[in-house]
Amino acid sequence: GNSVTQMEGPVTLSEEAFLTINCTYTATGYPSLFWYVQYPGEGLQLLLKATKADDKGSNKGFEATYRKETTSFHLEKGSVQVSDSAVYFCALRESGGYNKLIFGAGTRLAVHP
Amino acid sequence: DAGVIQSPRHEVTEMGQEVTLRCKPISGHNSLFWYRQTMMRGLELLIYFNNNVPIDDSGMPEDRFSAKMPNASFSTLKIQPSEPRDSAVYFCASSLNVGEKLFFGSGTQLSVL
């Protein structure tokens, strides 16, 4: 079946460091890919998305490129801030059908000043 | 808009008791999702509805779990009888249409003693 695999956390960085969180997926067809972020005590929020191969999603300095050849959607940010500390979830939506999302396990990011 | 509203925010109960979680989706959204989040299993989709009709309940763990959506503005997730292993954060999410992003509520933290 379809699945999403993320790098395990926690990821601990100093402020202004470069961030990469790896995400790979297994899916039939042409899924859409997403990154959601969960701040402490809150629900998930959409961070960015890409709907087809080679698309780049970007938001708030974060970006991820849909790589069909490597079935990956790695999240990157050039310079993280303390306020970026959160749990990040990679997800896919199966092509066709309803809006069912399959999430990865989540990666906790802690940024220290 | 107030967003997706879940109640209660926290629930502590004893094993064997009935638990009912409530969700009010964003007005006008026609898809509603129930997710469960635990450290061990991450974020799991339990069930989702489209236009108040259950589409896929394959994620519901067992018969002790049931979900209803009597109208477009209200859904419940019931656990009867509850067990300690049901302790988790339960999220409700809604979306406007197929292909639109999910909006999550703040979740219900359930503790079954």
Side-chain angles (χ1 to χ4, degrees):
Chain A
N2 297 339
S3 64
V4 176
T5 302
Q6 291 181 232
M7 64 186 288
E8 289 189 20
V11 174
T12 304
L13 296 173
S14 297
E15 207 165 23
E16 298 184 1
F18 184 85
L19 168 71
T20 300
I21 300 178
N22 290 339
C23 171
T24 57
Y25 68 90
T26 300
T28 55
Y30 302 93
S32 296
L33 302 174
F34 305 81
W35 278 100
Y36 277 76
V37 58
Q38 183 181 27
Y39 298 103
E42 299 182 11
L44 282 69
Q45 305 172 26
L46 178 65
L47 180 60
L48 54 84
K49 70 176 183 181
T51 57
K52 61 183 187 296
D54 299 326
D55 268 2
K56 177 184 284 188
S58 61
N59 185 27
K60 300 180 181 179
F62 291 88
E63 58 182 35
T65 301
Y66 188 144
R67 301 287 189 198
K68 189 166 177 62
E69 64 276 14
T70 55
T71 61
S72 65
F73 193 55
H74 304 323
L75 182 68
E76 296 181 337
K77 187 175 185 181
S79 176
V80 294
Q81 305 300 313
V82 173
S83 57
D84 294 327
S85 298
V87 181
Y88 292 82
F89 291 87
C90 186
L92 70 83
R93 185 179 64 233
E94 301 163 331
S95 55
Y98 295 94
N99 205 11
K100 176 179 177 179
L101 286 181
I102 297 172
F103 286 89
T107 302
R108 182 175 298 279
L109 169 66
V111 180
H112 299 289
Chain B
D1 198 308
V4 176
I5 299 173
Q6 290 186 246
S7 65
R9 191 67 190 268
H10 302 276
E11 176 80 32
V12 180
T13 190
E14 292 185 346
M15 182 174 61
Q17 296 298 306
E18 176 182 303
V19 175
T20 299
L21 311 181
R22 297 172 175 81
C23 175
K24 177 176 167 45
I26 292 174
S27 177
H29 283 193
N30 63 7
S31 295
L32 184 140
F33 305 78
W34 282 101
Y35 284 89
R36 177 172 68 177
Q37 185 179 36
T38 62
M39 290 292 291
M40 292 297 294
R41 294 185 298 272
L43 201 60
E44 306 169 278
L45 177 64
L46 301 178
I47 185 172
Y48 70 100
F49 296 83
N50 194 66
N51 292 323
N52 312 338
V53 176
I55 302 300
D56 184 350
D57 65 354
S58 60
M60 296 286 263
E62 47 196 277
D63 292 346
R64 297 184 297 107
F65 285 69
S66 62
K68 294 182 179 179
M69 192 165 186
N71 56 62
S73 59
F74 184 65
S75 177
T76 59
L77 177 67
K78 183 179 294 185
I79 308 172
Q80 179 184 25
S82 59
E83 297 182 2
R85 60 194 170 114
D86 302 330
S87 299
V89 180
Y90 290 81
F91 286 103
C92 176
S94 69
S95 68
L96 180 60
N97 284 308
V98 172
E100 298 294 324
K101 72 178 183 180
L102 294 188
F103 291 81
F104 281 77
S106 297
T108 295
Q109 173 80 58
L110 173 64
S111 298
V112 183
L113 306 177

